[in-house]
Amino acid sequence: MIFQGITPILWGTLAEVYGRRPVYLTSLAFVVSTSVGLALVPTPKYWLLVLLRCISSSGGAVVIPLGSGIVSDIAATSERGMFMGMVNLGPMLGPCLGPVIGGFIDRYLGWRAVFWFLSIFTACCLVLHFWFLPETLRTIRGNGSIPSSGISMTLLDMCRKICRGGKEEPWTELMLAAEHERKMFVEQKKTVHLLRTLHYFFEKDVSILLFFNGVNFMNMYIVTATTATIMQDTYGLGPSDAGLCYLPFGTGMAVGSVIAGRLIDRDFHSTLASYMRDRRYDREEHLPNSLRDIKNGKKSLSEEEMLRFPLEHARLKSSPIYDLVLWSCIVAYGWSVHFKAHLAVPLIFQFFQGLGQVASSQSITVLLMDLYPGEGASIAANIYLTRSLIGAIAIAIIDPLRRAVGMGPAMMVIVSVPLCLLPLMFLERRRGMRWRQKRAARGATANCSDPAQNNIPDISGRTTPIQG
């Protein structure tokens, strides 16, 4: 888990410089090669098994931040919640389906077959990504109109080039405009490096959101780490039957990913409607072009509009409801196990835990991506780092804690941590806009002091949807 948390920082930095596609392909190749190595590792070489698992987790951890980075590249602010919901669907299902699939493979074919399955499955994903995943990084593709070249070319791009007889695609006015936009992004991304990726922790609003999200998310790690043991010790289930008990939580997270994405976008649109009414833009014909396009999902907020828009309220509007569902179900789950209620009872609470878990996390994730448009991979890497490190601590303490005081009191202790941090989230909703404005003022001052940056418009709010 520690390697899973640390390495996305490096991968996210590389993805912001060299593109999403090459980093995706490299990381998947890492997973394929290490999975084959794990399947062939000699039984006495336990140190080699641990080393290869660390390398494998380092490669596999990249898909989550890169998925968020692609959403940041292609999705307008008004529809980012829905896109994030679809992207999170896979990562949320994986930790819950994995024990079920792995348990059956291990039971009938042995543990080495698990890694052969992973290597074959990941190799198929690698081939599909190589053929069909386009490059979306704006410093390379602009708004998507700039033709791909080299490693950025998909199978479709290669077929188009072959049909043209190997000739380069003629440049149109749209491509020239996209190239101009790309050059401006390149100017703004000159300072992308590892330390800049970590600088998010020094911003008040970002650090609050990262830490609260990480603490709230430790429930997911606790559930995935303890469910099998609890079901075997408390309910006497076998390994295969205990593996099936991961499905309710995974199903809840999958359903929550889809539902929460739409609810987050709904909250954004309702806040945007109030924002426009406050400025007397009640009638459609009175809307400025930029706001009309935002309302229709065609464009994102510009930086100037973003500074005035109550973004924190829009993204965190329903967050208290999600947190209430999550925390109440965590406590109810803990006490149902503590008193050995019927097996269906804790599993039902696990389903609603998953629902509240992903909804709470997704609203914070989308807000963080809105704070730094175009830097989704780096933001997601920091989210993953915080989650993993806090999750590793939670996993280390939960088993001794539940054996000492019981599952009910243990889960109440777990819930008390985010409850103590709740005032920070109210502070973020109240002061977040002011902190954003101060950060923008610092950035404007820095740009004015750099002659190379003068007269270059800031388009980080992005007002042009990516094409294709």
Side-chain angles (χ1 to χ4, degrees):
M1 279 191 63
I2 294 175
F3 274 82
Q4 281 183 335
I6 294 174
T7 51
I9 294 293
L10 174 61
W11 288 116
T13 304
L14 294 175
E16 300 288 6
V17 177
Y18 299 106
R20 320 299 191 195
R21 180 178 164 84
V23 175
Y24 244 126
L25 298 179
T26 304
S27 64
L28 290 176
F30 262 59
V31 177
V32 173
S33 57
T34 52
S35 296
V36 172
L38 285 163
L40 298 174
V41 68
T43 304
K45 304 289 185 179
Y46 182 73
W47 65 270
L48 183 58
L49 181 70
V50 174
L51 176 63
L52 290 175
R53 281 294 295 124
C54 291
I55 299 174
S56 177
S57 66
S58 301
V62 72
V63 297
I64 298 177
L66 282 189
S68 300
I70 291 175
V71 169
S72 178
D73 293 334
I74 68 174
T77 309
S78 59
E79 55 188 12
R80 198 165 283 162
M82 180 188 68
F83 276 85
M84 280 302 301
M86 300 307 296
V87 167
N88 282 333
L89 193 58
M92 297 305 173
L93 277 175
C96 301
L97 290 179
V100 179
I101 299 172
F104 279 101
I105 294 177
D106 179 38
R107 179 177 180 179
Y108 295 106
L109 299 174
W111 66 270
R112 293 184 186 274
V114 174
F115 293 107
W116 283 119
F117 171 80
L118 288 175
S119 60
I120 295 170
F121 184 80
T122 309
C124 293
C125 293
L126 176 60
V127 172
L128 291 174
H129 279 70
F130 180 76
W131 282 352
F132 301 114
L133 179 69
E135 180 58 65
T136 61
L137 185 65
R138 295 215 153 210
T139 55
I140 296 176
R141 296 291 309 281
N143 66 1
S145 300
I146 298 175
S148 301
S149 60
I151 190 64
S152 298
M153 296 182 68
T154 64
L155 180 65
L156 183 59
D157 295 327
M158 295 176 187
C159 292
R160 287 173 177 170
K161 189 170 183 178
I162 292 172
C163 293
R164 293 194 304 268
K167 296 180 180 179
E168 295 294 335
E169 187 175 353
W171 283 66
T172 63
E173 290 185 7
L174 183 61
M175 292 180 186
L176 292 173
E179 174 64 13
H180 176 67
E181 180 180 342
R182 185 193 70 81
K183 289 180 179 178
M184 289 192 291
F185 264 98
V186 171
E187 289 292 336
Q188 293 177 345
K189 297 284 186 174
K190 279 182 177 178
T191 59
V192 172
H193 49 74
L194 182 60
L195 294 179
R196 188 180 187 277
T197 302
L198 293 173
H199 91 286
Y200 302 113
F201 287 101
F202 298 97
E203 300 292 344
K204 296 176 185 177
D205 51 348
V206 177
S207 59
I208 288 174
L209 293 170
L210 286 173
F211 192 58
F212 184 83
N213 184 52
V215 169
N216 227 11
F217 208 80
M218 66 181 176
N219 168 68
M220 195 276 283
Y221 294 106
I222 290 173
V223 169
T224 55
T226 61
T227 292
T229 304
I230 288 173
M231 294 306 165
Q232 292 179 55
D233 294 347
T234 306
Y235 293 96
L237 301 182
S240 299
D241 294 333
L244 292 173
C245 294
Y246 284 92
L247 292 176
F249 188 74
T251 304
M253 296 188 82
V255 173
S257 294
V258 178
I259 295 177
R262 297 188 179 277
L263 292 178
I264 291 169
D265 287 343
R266 185 204 64 180
D267 289 343
F268 179 88
H269 284 103
S270 64
T271 306
L272 180 62
S274 300
Y275 173 79
M276 291 187 292
R277 282 196 302 270
D278 292 343
R279 281 152 182 76
R280 299 180 181 179
Y281 294 143
D282 298 296
R283 298 178 61 185
E284 183 74 16
E285 60 269 20
H286 290 165
L287 289 176
N289 290 334
S290 56
L291 288 179
R292 185 185 297 113
D293 289 335
I294 293 165
K295 183 180 177 182
N296 296 333
K298 295 179 180 179
K299 295 184 178 181
S300 295
L301 288 165
S302 68
E303 183 178 5
E304 182 181 356
E305 290 161 344
M306 184 78 79
L307 293 176
R308 296 195 302 264
F309 183 72
L311 186 60
E312 291 76 13
H313 177 75
R315 294 308 190 192
L316 301 178
K317 189 175 184 179
S318 301
S319 187
I321 300 174
Y322 306 147
D323 292 335
L324 180 62
V325 171
L326 173 62
W327 298 338
S328 59
C329 288
I330 290 174
V331 173
Y333 166 73
W335 284 109
S336 65
V337 172
H338 187 89
F339 290 114
K340 299 183 180 180
H342 189 276
L343 178 61
V345 177
L347 295 182
I348 290 173
F349 285 127
Q350 273 199 6
F351 173 84
F352 288 103
Q353 272 182 268
L355 202 69
Q357 182 77 77
V358 71
S360 174
S361 173
Q362 203 159 293
S363 59
I364 294 177
T365 300
V366 174
L367 173 57
L368 285 167
M369 291 175 62
D370 289 338
L371 294 178
Y372 289 91
E375 301 180 28
S378 298
I379 285 291
N382 282 272
I383 293 172
Y384 204 65
L385 171 65
T386 312
R387 282 183 188 173
S388 298
L389 295 182
I390 295 176
I393 297 172
I395 289 175
I397 67 173
I398 186 59
D399 197 55
L401 181 62
R402 74 178 183 86
R403 293 186 186 279
V405 300
M407 193 63 179
M411 298 310 279
M412 291 188 70
V413 171
I414 295 299
V415 168
S416 68
V417 180
L419 271 173
C420 292
L421 298 176
L422 195 58
L424 292 178
M425 291 301 290
F426 288 110
L427 182 65
E428 161 63 12
R429 292 187 63 170
R430 186 176 182 84
R431 299 283 184 89
M433 182 185 296
R434 188 181 307 172
W435 291 335
R436 279 192 290 127
Q437 292 169 346
K438 289 183 178 179
R439 182 163 57 242
R442 292 199 309 267
T445 303
N447 284 345
C448 288
S449 63
D450 183 359
Q453 296 291 330
N454 290 339
N455 301 321
I456 295 177
D458 189 343
I459 52 172
S460 60
R462 201 175 77 254
T463 57
T464 307
I466 195 164
Q467 305 293 322

